[in-house]
């Protein structure tokens, strides 16, 4: 995984991802919200 220019990273475990608090606050993400990620 390249980390050049990466502002923050998330940890994925099974079907769960840890999203840094700074990103959750900026995007107004709360517990129980559903997120759709695309690459």
């Amino acid at each position: 995984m390249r980390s050049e220019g990466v502002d923050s990273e998330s940890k994925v475990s099974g079907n769960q991802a840890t999203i840094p608090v700074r990103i959750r606050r900026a995007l107004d993400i709360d517990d129980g919200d559903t997120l759709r990620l695309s690459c």
Side-chain angles (χ1 to χ4, degrees):
M1 180 174 165
R2 287 180 58 190
S3 60
E4 271 182 44
V6 173
D7 193 31
S8 63
E9 297 177 350
S10 295
K11 180 177 181 180
V12 176
S13 175
N15 292 326
Q16 297 181 346
T18 301
I19 302 170
V21 69
R22 187 168 59 103
I23 293 173
R24 291 195 321 263
R25 287 179 181 155
L27 298 176
D28 196 27
I29 298 171
D30 292 320
D31 285 346
D33 286 352
T34 300
L35 303 175
R36 180 177 293 169
L37 307 173
S38 62
C39 297

